[in-house]
Amino acid sequence: MPTVARSASLSTGKFTAPELPESGEVIAFAHGGTIQTLVTGLLEIPAMVAPRIWRLRVTHASITVLERHWTPTGAVWTLERLNDTAHLEGL
């Protein structure tokens, strides 16, 4: 069963998030701005570029998928899907 993330924040330019399990899935339900902030933080987008993240649209009920990969130096995140709304077609 996936872990459900309950909170995340961006504080003084450094990303912090709830402790994540070593493996498995985490599901987060959030507003678009929170998703944009999460993407900026996990992908380590520099603060000078981060304001441009707001140009990325995150539609209501869309799916965004980030995947964590382990390397010898630690975790690396990749953006697999952003603003996927295929599940809403035909509604």
Side-chain angles (χ1 to χ4, degrees):
M1 179 153 200
T3 299
V4 177
R6 299 198 186 281
S7 65
S9 65
L10 190 64
S11 173
T12 63
K14 183 174 180 177
F15 180 74
T16 59
E19 187 172 322
L20 298 174
E22 289 292 321
S23 63
E25 295 176 334
V26 175
I27 298 173
F29 302 91
H31 292 279
T34 304
I35 298 297
Q36 291 165 322
T37 301
L38 181 70
V39 169
T40 301
L42 292 178
L43 298 181
E44 299 176 10
I45 297 173
M48 63 188 293
V49 178
R52 294 185 182 146
I53 195 76
W54 305 111
R55 294 180 185 172
L56 299 175
R57 180 180 302 262
V58 179
T59 305
H60 297 303
S62 67
I63 296 173
T64 295
V65 177
L66 291 141
E67 190 169 324
R68 180 172 53 176
H69 306 276
W70 291 101
T71 69
T73 58
V76 175
W77 291 88
T78 57
L79 181 61
E80 300 293 327
R81 293 191 295 178
L82 177 70
N83 196 42
D84 183 348
T85 58
H87 62 286
L88 300 174
E89 290 179 18
L91 293 180

